[in-house]
Amino acid sequence: MALHPGAIAGIVVGISILLIIWILYASIYIVHQAEGIVIERLGRFHKVLDSGINFVIPIIDSPRQFTWRKTFINSAGTVSDEIKTSTRIDLRESVFNFLKQEFYTKDTVLLDVHALMYFRIYDIKKAIYEVDDLQGALSNTAQTQLKEVFGNMSFTEALESQSQINDHLVQEFSKLFSQWGIVVERMELLDLSPKSSISEAMKKQMVAERKRRGDFIQSEGEKAAMNLLAEGKKVESINIGIARQESTRKVSEGTSAASIELAQAESTALEQMTNVLVEEGKENSQTNYMISLKYLDSFDGQLNVQSLYMPYKIDGIQSIVTEYTSPYHNAPNIISHNNNTNNNNNNNLKKNVLTKRSVDSAPKKEFSELD
């Protein structure tokens, strides 16, 4: 049965439309922003398609597939990996998850190290053609570098230098991975922990070390307290000595000033008395009376006085004493003693001693009778 010419024409038109649609689908590529597609022409690298609409020759040009391990945070909040094969390569910053690996430190502590690398592909051609297995190359290279870094450090240094380790790994990985079209943005050490048996031993060591430090700090505090106390006592003793010295000096200065003032006052009194005596004359009755009265009061009540010392020359009152002998036993025994004459003192002091009998048995003469 022969086909109708119209049916044959419809089939041809349909096949042509389908062929055109397929050609358009195979020759037009729409690339999203931050994506790249490697195009090979007859198995040879031809070009990299940038973002936007791109045209290729069907059958002759074909995209190169790229296998990659994508790291992401799953719904449980943990880091997970997914193997993907695609012709579209993500040029954004990505995360490469280095699985936990064991490393020995310089002090033979076995550590479990879990690290993340943040990177981005800046050259798709190098990432595909310069290395056969990019994921394995990154993992093995990182393992070698981590082993070298931790092998040259003690466990304590590793704990104290995590930021320095991250910076060092970024520099080293950037040098190594740049030939593969990868630039490393930063490194993060997620976990850095020793094995359980080593961890228990380190806990005991840490407790002992803390106790030792505590005892040392306590002893240092007691030592500092004793030094401060001794220094305080020393300063106190010095201040007390200075205060006593100052007090003694002040007392001495006060005593000296008082003695000077007293001597000046006595000198002034003597000068005034001398002036009065000179003005009134030696025979002034009132002055003689008062001096004689004070003199008699000085030995009033002392009944056992056997000797009487005259404070001035006895020549002036010799006649009076001779006349009035009734209070004394027999005649007065007058002994005059002359002191040696000094070069600097021209006054002579004569000591007169009167032998007295009982004063109470004899009546007293009034000094008015002596006048």
Side-chain angles (χ1 to χ4, degrees):
M1 182 179 178
L3 294 176
H4 192 274
I8 296 174
I11 294 172
V12 171
V13 171
I15 293 174
S16 299
I17 293 173
L18 291 176
L19 182 61
I20 292 172
I21 293 174
W22 177 82
I23 291 172
L24 292 175
Y25 176 79
S27 61
I28 297 176
Y29 284 90
I30 298 177
V31 182
H32 298 286
Q33 185 68 33
E35 283 186 350
I37 299 176
V38 174
I39 299 298
E40 294 179 344
R41 176 167 291 178
L42 299 177
R44 185 176 180 181
F45 174 78
H46 176 59
K47 65 177 180 179
V48 176
L49 302 183
D50 296 328
S51 58
I53 186 169
N54 296 271
F55 296 93
V56 297
I57 300 174
I59 300 174
I60 297 175
D61 294 337
S62 62
R64 173 68 180 264
Q65 290 187 346
F66 183 71
T67 301
W68 186 249
R69 187 177 67 190
K70 183 175 180 58
T71 302
F72 61 95
I73 306 297
N74 56 22
S75 59
T78 58
V79 179
S80 300
D81 296 326
E82 180 183 0
I83 304 298
K84 296 182 66 176
T85 301
S86 175
T87 58
R88 297 176 181 268
I89 301 174
D90 193 350
L91 301 180
R92 295 174 297 179
E93 183 176 308
S94 302
V95 180
F96 189 89
N97 181 24
F98 296 102
L99 300 179
K100 281 190 177 182
Q101 303 178 33
E102 295 181 351
F103 301 102
Y104 279 99
T105 61
K106 185 170 62 176
D107 51 355
T108 66
V109 176
L110 185 60
L111 298 178
D112 285 334
V113 180
H114 185 196
L116 293 179
M117 181 180 69
Y118 294 83
F119 72 99
R120 62 182 178 84
I121 298 175
Y122 72 92
D123 191 338
I124 300 176
K125 181 180 178 181
K126 289 183 178 181
I128 294 178
Y129 294 105
E130 294 296 333
V131 61
D132 180 24
D133 185 5
L134 183 59
Q135 300 176 17
L138 293 178
S139 180
N140 294 331
T141 304
Q143 183 177 5
T144 304
Q145 290 296 320
L146 289 172
K147 184 181 295 184
E148 179 181 354
V149 169
F150 289 103
N152 294 326
M153 304 176 67
S154 64
F155 177 65
T156 304
E157 293 174 349
L159 292 178
E160 295 176 351
S161 308
Q162 293 190 28
S163 59
Q164 289 82 354
I165 293 174
N166 293 332
D167 296 338
H168 175 74
L169 291 177
V170 168
Q171 295 177 2
E172 294 298 324
F173 288 169
S174 296
K175 295 177 183 178
L176 295 174
F177 299 159
S178 61
Q179 59 184 344
W180 299 332
I182 292 177
V183 58
V184 179
E185 300 293 342
R186 67 185 185 274
M187 289 289 301
E188 296 291 342
L189 292 176
L190 291 183
D191 188 16
L192 185 65
S193 59
K195 293 295 184 180
S196 59
S197 59
I198 299 176
S199 178
E200 292 296 330
M202 293 183 65
K203 286 181 180 179
K204 295 180 180 179
Q205 180 183 1
M206 181 181 65
V207 171
E209 181 66 20
R210 294 295 180 184
K211 186 177 183 303
R212 185 187 69 82
R213 290 184 180 181
D215 294 340
F216 176 76
I217 294 172
Q218 183 178 0
S219 62
E220 287 293 324
E222 293 177 355
K223 179 181 177 181
M226 292 177 64
N227 290 335
L228 291 176
L229 182 60
E231 187 68 22
K233 289 183 178 179
K234 178 182 177 182
V235 173
E236 180 183 5
S237 300
I238 293 174
N239 292 335
I240 290 175
I242 294 174
R244 288 178 179 175
Q245 182 180 2
E246 187 68 16
S247 175
T248 304
R249 186 180 65 82
K250 292 292 185 181
V251 170
S252 300
E253 291 179 355
T255 303
S256 175
S259 300
I260 293 173
E261 294 291 337
L262 182 61
Q264 291 176 354
E266 291 178 353
S267 175
T268 303
L270 291 175
E271 288 178 359
Q272 291 180 358
M273 181 63 70
T274 302
N275 294 333
V276 170
L277 292 176
V278 170
E279 291 176 0
E280 292 183 355
K282 294 183 179 180
E283 301 299 332
N284 186 277
S285 60
Q286 184 177 1
T287 302
N288 291 336
Y289 173 76
M290 292 302 297
I291 292 175
S292 301
L293 184 60
K294 292 296 182 180
Y295 178 71
L296 291 175
D297 290 340
S298 65
F299 59 85
D300 186 23
Q302 298 181 4
L303 303 179
N304 296 325
V305 175
Q306 300 298 326
S307 300
L308 182 63
Y309 296 91
M310 306 301 292
Y312 49 85
K313 291 183 180 180
I314 201 169
D315 297 340
I317 61 172
Q318 180 68 39
S319 60
I320 298 174
V321 176
T322 304
E323 182 179 357
Y324 295 95
T325 58
S326 58
Y328 300 95
H329 178 69
N330 296 329
N333 184 17
I334 302 172
I335 305 173
S336 299
H337 298 278
N338 295 325
N339 293 328
N340 295 327
T341 304
N342 296 326
N343 294 329
N344 297 327
N345 187 6
N346 296 324
N347 295 325
N348 295 325
L349 179 62
K350 294 183 179 180
K351 185 185 297 184
N352 304 301
V353 181
L354 300 179
T355 303
K356 179 183 176 184
R357 71 181 182 181
S358 177
V359 178
D360 295 337
S361 60
K364 294 183 179 179
K365 294 286 186 176
E366 295 294 337
F367 244 82
S368 60
E369 298 179 3
L370 298 177
D371 294 338

